[in-house]
Amino acid sequence: QVQLVESGGGLVQAGGSLRLSCAASGRTFSRYAMAWFRQAPGKEREFVATITWIGSITYYADSVKGRFTISRDNAKNTVYLQMNDLKPEDTAVYFCAADASGAIHIGAISYDYWGQGTQVTVAS
């Protein structure tokens, strides 16, 4: 069982930056692929970024490529999402997710564990 707790959300002006963190419990965290998803009001949850268990492979949604960076520190059981050049359309609740298989996916259904989410609001 893995528990995920996100933090780092908030209100920021367009063009600003935020770094989200996702702290995981469980001794097997280092074997899990991790991902970030987001959900805006009235919209479906959408894939943002994912990273393999060793951190050697990352993959991003086209909408955030070049602006967001996913990383992880297995010694700290934490995954990060550095968000730069934020835009109003990035406003959403951001969720981290873990896949016990260690493989990266862009479909939410593939992930086994989810955090409660952290709100990111980008003002224009």
Side-chain angles (χ1 to χ4, degrees):
Q1 189 74 10
V2 173
Q3 291 186 325
L4 305 174
V5 179
E6 302 95 336
S7 62
L11 173 65
V12 64
Q13 294 292 316
S17 299
L18 283 174
R19 188 175 82 154
L20 306 183
S21 299
C22 174
S25 65
R27 293 177 291 177
T28 57
F29 169 80
S30 62
R31 295 294 183 179
Y32 287 64
M34 301 296 296
W36 288 94
F37 287 77
R38 66 187 182 186
Q39 188 166 16
K43 295 187 177 181
E44 293 188 353
R45 192 167 298 190
E46 67 170 353
F47 167 77
V48 175
T50 185
I51 188 168
T52 53
W53 68 273
I54 200 171
S56 58
I57 299 175
T58 58
Y59 187 77
Y60 298 89
D62 288 343
S63 58
V64 306
K65 200 173 296 182
R67 300 188 297 122
F68 291 11
T69 302
I70 188 171
S71 62
R72 65 190 297 162
D73 185 337
N74 288 341
K76 295 182 178 180
N77 279 12
T78 301
V79 63
Y80 304 97
L81 185 68
Q82 177 66 45
M83 306 186 295
N84 298 327
D85 190 24
L86 282 160
K87 304 176 180 181
E89 52 264 42
D90 294 319
T91 295
V93 177
Y94 284 71
F95 300 88
C96 71
D99 181 348
S101 74
I104 57 175
H105 305 277
I106 63 172
I109 195 171
S110 299
Y111 289 85
D112 304 292
Y113 304 102
W114 292 84
Q116 293 299 308
T118 185
Q119 176 71 47
V120 171
T121 303
V122 184
S124 58

